[in-house]
Amino acid sequence: MSDDNSDVEDEFEDALEVQSLPNTMDLLTAISESKIAIHYFFNNKFYEAQEILKPWVGRSMYHTLGNATFNFLEAVLTFERKSIERASSSLKLSIQLCNHFRKKNTFSESLGKMVKKPNYDLYTAEEIHAELCFAESLLLKALLTFIEDETLVSFIKAGLKIRSCYNSYKECNTILNTRNWGDDETHKVHFESGVRIGIGLFNLMISLLPGRVIKLLEFIGFSGSKDKGLSELFLCYNLKSGLMHVLSVLSLLAYNLIIKYFVSQEEGDLEFCDKVLSSQLVLYPEGAWFLYFKGRLELIQGNLKESVGWYLKSWKSQDVWPQFHHICFWELTWTHCMLSDWKEADVYASYLLKESKWSRTIYSYQKAAIMLMNGDDELSDDDRTTITSLMRNVPKWKQRIAGKSLPMEKFAIKKSERYLNQNNHLVLPALELLYIWNYFKIISKKCELCDNIYRIIDKCHKNFERNPEQYGKQYAFDNKALILLLKGSCLRHMGKPLQAEQCFKEIISMEKSIEYDTYIVPFSLFELAIIYGNKGNYEKAVEVLEEAKKNYSGYSLDTRLHFFVHSQLIEINNRKQRFTIT
């Protein structure tokens, strides 16, 4: 048992009476039943999955962990206090049960571990799986801590739990690589499956963070490599009979179809995703998760109407977890925005505002922003009243995590205040959100989509040029800069770099006159760097990226841009290496 986890053990060791566990299930049967429960779960048979697990909760590690995992997913999707408390209790029970089954070291053995590594061949199968289940339970408990309590103390406690979890996974990896498994392939494949996905996800998550954060994490003992992370996830994926195989599939789909588009300008491995989804939809034809990812794949390829069909299938495939519908509503909202179908987008934005508890601040602002895209001529007096009411309410629902507001909520609040100060008007608000969420990259996949969005922006630009102070003299430069940012980005994605470059340089020349939307300048520098990089002028691209990173701070969504810059610097370095090899 790792000494690094002693503080965590103390927190959980006193609540579970596990001196005697009658009718304890044998390990291989527990793993087999857990696999069946997972299969039921991803085929939307949630009740059947729970019925397999519940009778053995508190006695079997894998049944208890599986039940806790389902409760964790429900808590994350709902953000409801009762769900969070239920997940917290079940994860605490899982950690306590794992501690009961973990290897018990005497005082002399603990001292010996400080001098030499333990002999893992002496561990029983139950003891090594207890180490793995402990790490998995602790990771979920740490993640849940971020939403259990929104205080700084809770935030720090979550960080400590993640560190303990990281050390647990490292020890499990040592067990995997040093234990003499002999002919025990059945236990090994499930243990290896869990270790691979844990090590893979840790490496991948850490590698995606901005450089300054990575340096801090390395200082306190964390490290992360994207290549290592993906390699471990693929090794888990290739263990087809492993318990965590389907979770590795979901992890790789999420990375290639969601995360890469959130933190970078890179393309995901769409060919791999298409191959995987074809096989998974045979196994889980009604599975809400895989129907959703199929919709996401079509979206990224620019097949927006096809993606709508898959999102609708995912939404209507189950009603046990209505919270999963909200993920589909989010995608349907923005898909219809990319199609410039503002009325249909408003339908799903309204569903989110009414039903989801994730962020009423963001949902209120985005509904108002979408309604504004219909234009003055299309808006009734009732529509105007609704928009103004939404904008006034945006700040009222602000959340605080660890004493800080969410960056996107702060952005929405600033924009709602701007709306009220600009005589109840905003410039292209939904297109600005499309840009911020990195949807312009998807729009660029189809010429007709890009042309349509460009025409909307160009029309607004011409109208602005005729009357630049129509929404107030003090906001004229900010509004012009926003139009140029959207126009330049659209031109870049349309393959017109010279015209795009002109837009971004004009923004930079106006820097001292931009008072409110200060994020536009560093984002414009980032766009310029992409243009330089695409031309092969890597030195200039790196110079501009470093300028955006070092010379600007305190603007809206700065962390988001740091993710983009970090990813782009890595991409440029990879291109330079490929060019050198060639």
Side-chain angles (χ1 to χ4, degrees):
M1 188 184 300
S2 173
D3 295 332
D4 292 319
N5 295 320
S6 58
D7 292 338
V8 176
E9 292 164 25
D10 292 342
E11 183 179 347
F12 296 109
E13 67 182 3
D14 58 353
L16 181 68
E17 296 180 3
V18 290
Q19 288 81 5
S20 61
L21 294 170
N23 302 319
T24 302
M25 180 179 286
D26 73 273
L27 188 60
L28 288 180
T29 302
I31 292 172
S32 177
E33 290 201 356
S34 296
K35 287 190 72 175
I36 295 171
I38 289 172
H39 183 77
Y40 279 147
F41 179 82
F42 285 110
N43 247 335
N44 298 345
K45 297 179 179 179
F46 306 119
Y47 176 78
E48 291 88 340
Q50 289 175 333
E51 286 301 295
I52 288 176
L53 299 174
K54 280 185 177 179
W56 292 94
V57 170
R59 292 182 288 168
S60 161
M61 286 184 292
Y62 277 104
H63 287 72
T64 305
L65 174 58
N67 180 68
T69 302
F70 292 165
N71 287 338
F72 169 82
L73 289 172
E74 183 178 352
V76 171
L77 287 173
T78 63
F79 266 63
E80 292 178 350
R81 180 52 50 187
K82 287 184 179 179
S83 297
I84 293 170
E85 290 172 353
R86 183 166 54 248
S88 181
S89 296
S90 59
L91 284 166
K92 188 173 183 178
L93 176 63
S94 183
I95 292 169
Q96 292 161 1
L97 187 62
C98 292
N99 266 329
H100 173 75
F101 284 106
R102 291 169 77 200
K103 176 75 171 175
K104 303 298 187 296
N105 292 317
T106 65
F107 178 71
S108 60
E109 288 174 329
S110 295
L111 287 176
K113 286 181 68 176
M114 299 173 64
V115 179
K116 62 178 182 179
K117 293 181 179 179
N119 183 357
Y120 293 114
D121 291 340
L122 301 178
Y123 282 42
T124 66
E126 285 75 13
E127 286 169 343
I128 63 169
H129 279 274
E131 289 293 333
L132 179 59
C133 289
F134 176 80
E136 292 170 354
S137 302
L138 194 60
L139 176 60
L140 296 182
K141 187 69 174 74
L143 295 175
L144 188 68
T145 304
F146 285 110
I147 61 172
E148 273 187 279
D149 182 6
E150 299 174 358
T151 65
L152 182 59
V153 172
S154 179
F155 194 79
I156 293 171
K157 285 172 68 177
L160 293 174
K161 287 191 183 81
I162 288 177
R163 178 179 170 83
S164 296
C165 170
Y166 181 73
N167 290 330
S168 257
Y169 271 117
K170 284 171 65 177
E171 181 158 5
C172 288
N173 196 42
T174 302
I175 293 173
L176 175 65
N177 293 322
T178 61
R179 180 179 170 89
N180 180 9
W181 293 91
D183 296 328
D184 192 9
E185 286 299 319
T186 306
H187 279 123
K188 182 185 178 184
V189 70
H190 296 302
F191 184 80
E192 182 176 358
S193 177
V195 172
R196 297 294 186 197
I197 196 169
I199 296 293
L201 288 174
F202 258 111
N203 272 273
L204 194 57
M205 287 188 294
I206 293 173
S207 72
L208 294 172
L209 297 172
R212 61 184 182 181
V213 179
I214 291 177
K215 288 179 181 178
L216 175 61
L217 291 176
E218 288 174 344
F219 179 75
I220 59 176
F222 286 93
S223 61
S225 160
K226 183 177 75 171
D227 291 339
K228 171 73 171 173
L230 290 173
S231 173
E232 292 291 320
L233 288 176
F234 273 110
L235 287 170
C236 181
Y237 168 74
N238 289 326
L239 295 169
K240 305 293 184 183
S241 60
L243 182 61
M244 294 296 174
H245 169 73
V246 67
L247 296 181
S248 71
V249 170
L250 287 171
S251 299
L252 288 166
L253 288 173
Y255 172 72
N256 283 290
L257 298 179
I258 299 174
I259 296 172
K260 289 197 82 166
Y261 288 83
F262 184 79
V263 302
S264 76
Q265 298 289 321
E266 296 177 58
E267 194 77 76
D269 189 343
L270 304 187
E271 185 177 343
F272 168 79
C273 293
D274 189 33
K275 172 187 170 185
V276 168
L277 283 167
S278 296
S279 61
Q280 294 302 311
L281 284 170
V282 172
L283 292 171
Y284 309 104
E286 297 300 319
W289 297 85
F290 294 106
L291 291 170
Y292 162 76
F293 277 118
K294 178 63 174 177
R296 183 74 187 178
L297 175 62
E298 293 293 344
L299 179 83
I300 287 170
Q301 292 174 323
N303 304 322
L304 302 194
K305 292 182 180 178
E306 291 82 353
S307 73
V308 167
W310 288 101
Y311 289 141
L312 291 174
K313 286 182 183 179
S314 178
W315 165 22
K316 297 179 180 180
S317 68
Q318 59 84 33
D319 56 12
V320 176
W321 278 18
Q323 298 79 18
F324 192 82
H325 299 168
H326 304 157
I327 299 175
C328 297
F329 295 160
W330 176 274
E331 297 287 349
L332 286 163
T333 297
W334 296 111
T335 303
H336 286 294
C337 282
M338 285 185 274
L339 290 166
S340 305
D341 188 348
W342 310 116
K343 293 192 182 299
E344 195 68 14
D346 182 40
V347 170
Y348 295 104
S350 299
Y351 285 158
L352 285 171
L353 178 60
K354 181 180 178 181
E355 299 178 16
S356 178
K357 296 184 179 181
W358 179 66
S359 173
R360 296 200 73 190
T361 289
I362 293 174
Y363 293 148
S364 298
Y365 176 70
Q366 72 182 28
K367 174 177 167 55
I370 290 166
M371 290 182 71
L372 283 169
M373 294 301 297
N374 288 297
D376 291 339
D377 296 339
E378 297 291 326
L379 292 173
S380 66
D381 290 341
D382 286 344
D383 289 334
R384 280 286 180 190
T385 300
T386 298
I387 293 169
T388 301
S389 176
L390 287 168
M391 291 295 194
R392 291 189 188 281
N393 285 325
V394 164
K396 295 180 182 179
W397 293 311
K398 180 175 66 173
Q399 304 172 90
R400 298 186 75 82
I401 305 295
K404 293 188 175 182
S405 300
L406 299 176
M408 197 61 204
E409 287 196 343
K410 289 195 287 187
F411 177 86
I413 290 167
K414 285 183 179 179
K415 284 294 179 175
S416 67
E417 292 169 349
R418 178 76 157 274
Y419 167 84
L420 298 170
N421 292 333
Q422 279 191 168
N423 192 27
N424 293 356
H425 282 87
L426 283 175
V427 173
L428 303 174
L431 296 191
E432 183 179 25
L433 289 174
L434 280 175
Y435 175 81
I436 288 169
W437 292 122
N438 205 18
Y439 283 116
F440 272 38
K441 183 175 182 180
I442 294 173
I443 293 168
S444 69
K445 299 294 179 66
K446 299 289 183 179
C447 291
E448 61 271 22
L449 292 175
C450 215
D451 288 343
N452 193 37
I453 296 296
Y454 179 79
R455 282 197 296 271
I456 295 171
I457 299 169
D458 192 50
K459 180 180 177 181
C460 180
H461 192 191
K462 289 174 180 175
N463 181 48
F464 178 85
E465 290 296 319
R466 286 193 293 270
N467 185 10
E469 298 176 6
Q470 58 186 303
Y471 302 141
K473 184 176 181 179
Q474 68 187 106
Y475 302 110
F477 285 101
D478 294 74
N479 288 331
K480 182 177 182 179
L482 174 58
I483 294 169
L484 289 171
L485 175 66
L486 298 176
K487 189 172 186 177
S489 182
C490 203
L491 287 166
R492 177 174 71 79
H493 284 102
M494 292 169 72
K496 299 179 179 180
L498 293 178
Q499 292 171 263
E501 185 176 349
Q502 184 179 352
C503 290
F504 300 131
K505 286 183 174 179
E506 187 173 353
I507 292 170
I508 294 166
S509 71
M510 301 186 325
E511 178 177 357
K512 293 182 180 179
S513 301
I514 299 171
E515 295 187 40
Y516 304 97
D517 296 330
T518 53
Y519 82 94
I520 292 175
V521 175
F523 272 79
S524 297
L525 287 167
F526 173 74
E527 293 278 355
L528 269 178
I530 294 177
I531 292 172
Y532 294 141
N534 289 341
K535 289 179 180 178
N537 191 347
Y538 301 128
E539 288 73 18
K540 184 66 174 176
V542 170
E543 178 187 330
V544 174
L545 286 171
E546 292 293 345
E547 181 183 353
K549 184 171 69 172
K550 294 178 180 178
N551 294 352
Y552 298 86
S553 62
Y555 54 88
S556 296
L557 309 174
D558 54 350
T559 300
R560 185 158 178 72
L561 184 61
H562 287 153
F563 274 111
F564 283 152
V565 170
H566 173 64
S567 175
Q568 197 64 24
L569 286 170
I570 293 173
E571 174 63 18
I572 288 173
N573 187 54
N574 291 338
R575 284 193 213 169
K576 288 168 70 176
Q577 289 180 352
R578 289 195 294 269
F579 178 77
T580 302
I581 293 172
T582 303

